[in-house]
Structure formats: C-alpha cells, structure tokens
Amino acid sequence: MAVDARFSSTPPKPKVAPWNDPVIRGWFFQIVVVGLFVLLAVYLVQNTMENLERQKIASGFGFLEKEAGFEIGDTIISYSAADTYGRALIVGLVNTLRVAVLGIILATILGTLIGIGRLSSNWLLAKICEIYVEAFRNVPLLLWLLLIAKYIRESLPGPRQAWNLLDAFFLSNRGFYVPVPIADPIDKYVGIAFLIGIGVAWYVARWAKKRQEMTGQQFPRIWAGFGIIIGLPLVVWLLGGAPLKLSVPALQGFNFSGGVVLQPEFIALLIGLVLYTSAFIAEIVRSGILAINRGQTEASLANGLTRGQTMRLVLLPQALRVIVPPMTSQYLNITKNSSLAIAIGYPDLVASVNVTINQTGQAIEGILFIMAAYLTVSLSISLFMNWYNKRIALVER
Amino acid sequence: MADITNGSATVTRVYRPPPSQATGAIGWMRRNLFNSVLNSIITILLVLVIGMIVWNFLDWAVFKSVTSAKSGQECGKISPDGACWAFVVDKYRLIFFGTYPYEEQWRPLFACISVIAMLVLSCDRRFWNAWLAAIWGIGSIVTFLLMFGQIFVPLSVLLIVALVAGGVGLLLRRRAASAIEVVAYWVLATVGAVGLAVLLWDWVMGLIGAPDLMVRLSAFVPGFTIAPLSYVETSKWGGLPVTLILASYGLAFAFPLGILAALGRRSKLPLIKGLCVGYIELIRGVPLISLLIMASVMLPLFLPTGMTIDKFLRALVAVTLFAGAYIAEIIRGGLQSIPKGQYEAADAMGLSYMQKTAFIILPQALQVVIPPLVNTFIGFFKDTSLVLIIGIFDLLNAGEQAIVDRVWSGYANEIHVFLAIIYFCMCYSMSRYSKYLEREMNKSVRR
C-alpha cells in the first residue's frame, strides 16, 4: 500500500542548496580548518628538518642511552655523571615528584588551618590569617622562591654557628640536618607488620560499618584503625628488642656528618610552594565552609549529634563537594609550579632536561619529554581527584 | 535623660548607660578577643609571637636601616644588622627600566603610565563599549611609539585589517545595519581584498628565485615609518614596562584566542572540537616554563633558515598561547551558564550562528566571566615573572641584575622586599577591583 507523502509521519526533507546544508557546511569548514592545520604542521616540520640537518643535530631518542657527564646535586636514587641521560632525566622526575607530593600534603594541612583560622571568632587570629593570605597570594611565587633561597644562603649562619635544636637538628646555610635511624634487620618485619596492620584496620572498618548498618551499634573504628596500624608494628619492634640507633648529625671540620641533609634549594622550593599554595587553599576551604547553610549545623545539633559528629558526618561531606574541584587544580598547580626549581638551582625534571638540551642540542626531544611527563602526572592527579569527587558527590535520583 | 509627656504629668526617666565593660574598646575586646578561655590563650600567644616578628622586622627595616651610603661595605659599617635601603635608592632606575638607555628613560616611564592608564580606564564600566577599542588603539600607539621610538606599519597589515573589519561587519550586520553602513563595509572589504590581491600578484611575479614564503613576504611588504625618537630595540627593554606589556598584551591577544577555543570546544563538529580540546588540555597540563623554553629553543628551529623572531616577541607568543587555554576554560564556564532557552530563542528568530553567538550568547557569557577574568589577569601578571628563566629583563629579572652587583653584595633581601611591595600593591589593588566587580554584578541577582 503506497502512503501519500503528505500523510507520512516523517516530514519530507526540505530541499536546500548544498552550500546551505548544515551537514555539508560543517564538513566543509572542518576540512578547511584541519587542512590549514596540517599545512602549517607540514611547513613547520619541513623547516625543522632542514634546520636540524644544517646544524648537524641528531634526532630521535638515542641520546637517552649516552653518558650524561653532568652531576646532579640532590638525588634520592643513586646517580653519577657516568650514568646515562635517561637516568639523569629519571632522577629529575623523581625530584619533581618528591617536592610535589610533600608540597601537596603540607600545603593542604597549612591551607586548611589558615582557612579555618580566617573564620575564627577571635578577631586577631582571623585578621592575621587574612593578612597571610593576601600577602602570599599577591606576590609572584618566583619572587618568593628567590627571596627564600637567597635568605637561606646568605642570612642563615654557617655550619659552625648553625641553629641547633636538641643537639640533633641543625639548620644552617648548608641545609637542614636531621637524624635518621640506622637500618636494623628488624625493620623488615616492622614494615610487614605495618602492611598487615593496614589490611586488618580496613577489614575492621568494613565489619564495623556493616554492623552499624545492621544493628545501629557504633564502633570507634577510626581510633581502632589507628591503634592497629601503629600498634602492630610497635609490638613487633618491641619484641625485636627495640633497637634504636640514630645517626645524629655532628659538626666535623667545616660541615656536618651523619644524619640526612635536606639541601637548601629543596627547602627553599618546598617552603615557597607550600606558603604560596596554602594561601589559595585557605580561600578554597573558607568558601567551602561558608557555602554550607547554618541551619545544617543547628539541625544536626538539635538531632543530638555531638560537635565532632556534626563536623564529620554533616558539615565536612557537604563542604568537600565544594572544595574538591578547585583543590584539584591547586594540586596540579603545585606540580607544575615545582618546575620553577630551575630558577633556584634545585635539580628537578625541567632543570635536567635543560642541561641535556644544552649539551646535545636535541631541544624537541627534551621538550617532548617534559610535556609527556607533566601531562602524565597532571592526568593521573586529575583522574584520581575526579574519582574521589565522584565518590563524595551528592547521590541524586 | 529623656522627658516623656504622659497625659498631664511629666515623668522624668533616667536611662543608665550600659555597663562600661560591654561597650567601647573594652567591650569590643571582650567580645572579639577574650570571649572564651581558649580564645584568650590564642590571643595572648598571637600577640607575643606576632609582636616579636613585627618588632624584629621593624627593627631591621626601619630603626636600624641605612638610606644613604656609597657601597654595601659602608652600609655594613654604619649598621651591621639593619636594612641597607641605600642599595635600592642607588638601583631604582635599573629595577624600573632595566638597561634602557639612561638619558631616554623618561620614555619607558611614560609608556608605563600609558599602559596603566589603559588598564585603569578599562576598569571603568562606562567605557565597556566602542570606547574600549579607542582607548587601547590610541594607548597602544603611544606606548609602542615611546618604547621603540618609531613604528613601522606595513601596508599589508592595514589591508588585512580593512578586509577583516569589512568582512566581519558584513557577516554580522548585513540585515541589521542601515544602507550607508552596509556600503561602508563593502567598500572597506573591497579595498582590503583588492589591495591584498595586488600585493599577492606582485609577490607571485617576484616568486621565481625567491627561496621561501615567509622571507619573501616580510621582504616585499611596503610600509611607512613614524620615527620621532631614536630607535631602541627590545633587547634593551627592561623592568616595569616589560612586565606590564607582557601581561596586558599577552592577555589582550589571548582573549580572542580563548573565545575561539571555547566556542570550538562546544562545537558539534568533531574535528574542530578535537583540535580545541587538544590545544586547551595540552597547554593546561604543562607548566609555563616548558612553553617558554620551547619558545626560546624550539621556535627558531621551526622557522625557515635566515628568519629570526625577536626574543621578546617569542615570550609574548608563549604567554599568549598559555593564557589562551586558561581563558578558554573560563569562557566555557560562562557559555555553559547560559540557559538553553537563549540558544533556542535565537534559532527560532532565524539568526545565523554568527549572529546568535555575537549578539545573544557572547554578551551574556562574557558578562558572567568578567570577575574570574580579572583574577586570571592577576595570575598572569605574576606569571610574567617567569620570563626571567629565558633571559628577558622584566621587573623581577632587573632586580636580580641589581643584586649581582659586587659593590652591594650581601643585600639581596632589600631588593626582594622592595620588589615584593611593588608586586603586592599592583596585585592587591586588582584583586580589590575584582571583588568590587563581583559585588556590582551580583546586585541584580542578590537581594
């Protein structure tokens, strides 16, 4: 049965000229834009190939296997000038991650304290926190870094007159010396006990939650968890005879020996990053807390929850929803800003690559390496924080 | 005391003042500093700690400071543990204007005033219309005439501007404009197109034997030069004008780039969307330093042999690319805040994509994002200090150059504190302005 076109449910396609058809137009513009982009890319690549050939610069990542021939002042993993460029870059990457991770942890703690301080009922405390935030937010990070690095190098005393705490911690213009425990065979078992403790604590927490959901009975799972995680290794350590030998830094000649030294550049970078970023984090925390309706506190107290429970079960979950997304970008900022290390001589990833570029001339490979490394780190942080954000997000119908 | 007339009798009532402990300074302190045991302890501790810090700082910066001396050693002799402000007094010209020729330093001074005047005028909401273009046009000519001493205007640039202005006018206002306006747009576009065609023909004719497009293009464009002052190249620029120019022009160029990238990211065309997402996420994922290093070591490799780009311009390109990605994300936020009904209403009115975007969507979206844009500007103003790493003498780097001087060795803190105060004054006033704007713009929403 033939259906008259006028009565069919789908309207007839309007007749339009091809240059007015949105689909054709869309593809036309896309092809033009991408074509121009490809042309530009081809042009640049051609120029680059010519230039590289003319300046006799090798291309490819073969240089990673060659001997680097430069020293790196501050390393955690073993490295010497005889190692390869590849290893030098890894050392730089590890240094970047070290300062970024420590910076994120410390800035979060300090920023949260300052942010809460700004809301204190104590006028003096609130004002001082406000001045702190404004002072650190409105001056470039690079200036803070240079100021702190120069201050440590020039205005702190030398090793002989080092500032001394308990005859074990020394702060001088050569760095911050801290005592470390000397390795003992029992350490291995303590570590295993620690891991087991985490597992047991997780299991207990799960059990407690299930029990609370079934019966309503509560169990102090946070305290119990801490007790298990700290207590188990402690028991193992005590059973092992409680070996405590410390390597304490002591002045020998012109410098200290023993202990572990935090290099002045590392301290300067860490302090600068933490102070600067904590000012931003303080503002985020403050706005997160202010975003919660006051009625929430009153309602929860009226329901008979204690102040601690109100904070933990009612206020914090809601504040975190506001806080987490901007906090993510601050964490990314710390990671990216750690690249300013190059200005004060801390051997991070960018500094290692910079030396490599200067020695081999392979700028493109070096910069590709930097970009790939930072993109990987940035994306991992974003992915983690997005996962966390989803976990705490409001569950809507 | 108050007299109250109550019927026929007059009653005199005596109002007692509130207890002295609840009003005035004492009352305020009881309410705000000592309202609980914990707060009292915090207050006392803070007063002690902060008092000590402030006292030590004042002792260094004011009481024991030296303001006139010939060298760092002399400072050390006069007052060993005070600040040596004589250093700053001696070096302030270097810090503010870098290595700009000494007798000509009035020029960067007025250039700074010009840029700051442009920024301040741009803050006034009454100028948020065609005035803004006029202010920046005139201000830019004044600034660069002072800094360079001369301006070279190639003919092709003028023709391109005419073509673009005419074309955009025709595209957007073909139906809305009066007949005279439309004719004016046509004339503008035609002049631009014909002029460029002639230049292109000239170039094609002369192409035989010419090695490369860019070299050829830069060689053939005729232009004219306005040169009332002696020429000063960008490698001699330094100090405050460099910081101001990099921040304001970097952002001004990044703004259209950001709008395009934001629109592209929300486009339904997959290839364009992909390009924009790639650009934004790539730039936002890497530190500015890597872009600056790229601009300083990689850009020369990209260009044809024999062609070089000024280092200052390279830094400006890097800052622009960087800022563009961040601005794009801010503007995308604004675009997302526009209700869907606005798009649908514009479509229902029969507006084209260009008209819809230019007249309905962007004006509303930009209005929303102005306060965060000001905050971004503060960020970029601070970030321009990173050009220190590729050896451009901005305010911070000029200060570092002053520190290197052997005569004043050991007094770096003074210069750093001085620089911090300058940056703080500028950034703080901008952040106050951003707060004010936010309040102003929320007036219609808040009650």
Side-chain angles (χ1 to χ4, degrees), chain A residues 10-223:
Chain A
T10 53
K13 260 194 144 186
K15 270 197 166 175
V16 287
W19 55 85
N20 274 342
D21 187 339
V23 176
I24 295 176
R25 267 189 169 202
W27 280 105
F28 173 73
F29 281 123
Q30 289 191 76
I31 288 166
V32 168
V33 169
V34 172
L36 284 177
F37 182 74
V38 169
L39 273 183
L40 182 73
V42 167
Y43 175 69
L44 293 180
V45 167
Q46 238 172 14
N47 282 334
T48 312
M49 300 304 265
E50 265 173 42
N51 283 326
L52 287 179
E53 212 164 294
R54 201 168 40 82
Q55 295 175 11
K56 302 207 167 51
I57 298 173
S59 56
F61 283 91
F63 71 98
L64 289 177
E65 304 289 323
K66 288 188 196 141
E67 189 183 315
F70 63 90
E71 286 290 347
I72 293 180
D74 194 358
T75 58
I76 319 182
I77 56 177
S78 71
Y79 172 82
S80 74
D83 280 319
T84 59
Y85 280 116
R87 184 143 181 107
L89 298 188
I90 296 294
V91 169
L93 183 60
V94 170
N95 277 343
T96 292
L97 290 177
R98 171 166 69 138
V99 83
V101 169
L102 272 176
I104 285 175
I105 295 169
L106 293 178
T108 308
I109 296 170
L110 187 62
T112 309
L113 291 179
I114 304 263
I116 295 171
R118 273 199 75 174
L119 295 170
S120 163
S121 62
N122 186 322
W123 180 87
L124 191 63
L125 183 61
K127 264 287 161 245
I128 287 170
C129 290
E130 191 185 333
I131 292 173
Y132 173 92
V133 168
E134 294 297 346
F136 282 101
R137 262 200 331 180
N138 286 316
V139 173
L141 172 60
L142 187 58
L143 178 51
W144 282 122
L145 289 180
L146 291 171
L147 193 154
I148 296 168
K150 209 55 173 199
Y151 183 83
I152 290 179
R153 227 171 290 145
E154 284 189 357
S155 303
L156 284 189
R160 282 167 178 275
Q161 293 86 34
W163 292 347
N164 180 345
L165 184 70
L166 302 173
D167 262 337
F169 297 87
F170 296 93
L171 183 63
S172 77
N173 59 6
R174 300 277 181 88
F176 186 44
Y177 290 80
V178 285
V180 283
I182 295 168
D184 193 271
I186 201 80
D187 286 351
K188 198 164 58 185
Y189 301 105
V190 173
I192 292 169
F194 180 70
L195 290 181
I196 293 174
I198 290 177
V200 172
W202 180 76
Y203 186 77
V204 167
R206 222 178 61 153
W207 166 79
K209 195 174 174 205
K210 211 177 249 170
R211 194 183 71 156
Q212 190 182 349
E213 279 166 2
M214 298 281 282
T215 65
Q217 281 177 306
Q218 289 190 347
F219 184 79
R221 57 176 189 258
I222 291 178
W223 294 116

Side-chain angles (χ1 to χ4, degrees), chain B residues 262 375 396:
Chain B
N375 286 337
L396 183 53

Side-chain angles (χ1 to χ4, degrees), chain B residues 238-446:
Chain B
L240 192 57
V242 169
T243 297
L244 285 174
I245 288 175
L246 274 180
S248 23
Y249 284 90
L251 207 75
F253 293 141
F255 193 63
L257 183 67
I259 291 181
L260 284 183
L263 288 175
R265 192 170 183 169
R266 282 176 60 80
S267 157
K268 286 193 191 74
L269 308 175
L271 291 179
I272 289 179
K273 187 177 176 180
L275 270 183
C276 292
V277 171
Y279 160 70
I280 294 173
E281 293 305 327
L282 179 74
I283 300 281
R284 274 160 41 93
V286 301
L288 176 57
I289 286 196
S290 66
L291 282 183
L292 285 171
I293 294 181
M294 187 166 132
S296 79
V297 300
M298 233 161 110
L299 213 56
L301 288 178
F302 284 158
L303 294 173
T305 319
M307 188 176 164
T308 53
I309 295 189
D310 187 69
K311 190 156 82 174
F312 186 75
L313 192 60
R314 272 185 271 167
L316 192 59
V317 169
V319 171
T320 305
L321 281 178
F322 187 70
Y326 284 82
I327 291 176
E329 282 299 273
I330 293 176
I331 290 178
R332 185 164 74 106
L335 290 175
Q336 280 175 348
S337 73
I338 308 289
K340 213 177 168 202
Q342 297 285 324
Y343 290 89
E344 288 166 353
D347 285 336
M349 299 279 286
L351 298 183
S352 70
Y353 177 79
M354 290 288 239
Q355 288 170 326
K356 180 175 71 175
T357 310
F359 296 134
I360 310 291
I361 306 302
L362 273 186
Q364 299 185 65
L366 293 184
Q367 176 93 6
V368 180
V369 297
I370 287 171
L373 273 180
V374 176
N375 286 337
T376 319
F377 183 75
I378 302 175
F380 286 115
F381 188 79
K382 289 184 290 174
D383 279 347
T384 51
S385 59
L386 301 198
V387 295
L388 172 145
I389 285 154
I390 58 168
I392 286 173
F393 293 100
D394 73 320
L395 188 59
L396 183 53
N397 202 4
E400 293 299 303
Q401 295 309 304
I403 290 170
V404 173
D405 192 343
R406 286 271 184 76
V407 179
W408 298 96
S409 67
Y411 289 97
N413 293 336
E414 282 78 351
I415 297 278
H416 283 143
V417 169
F418 179 61
L419 288 174
I421 292 171
I422 298 174
Y423 273 110
F424 179 82
C425 290
M426 297 199 171
C427 295
Y428 187 66
S429 46
M430 284 189 275
S431 78
R432 298 304 302 178
Y433 170 69
S434 140
K435 289 235 174 72
Y436 151 83
L437 262 186
E438 222 160 312
R439 265 200 318 276
E440 279 289 297
M441 301 204 147
N442 283 338
K443 261 185 187 163
S444 58
V445 184
R446 204 186 45 202

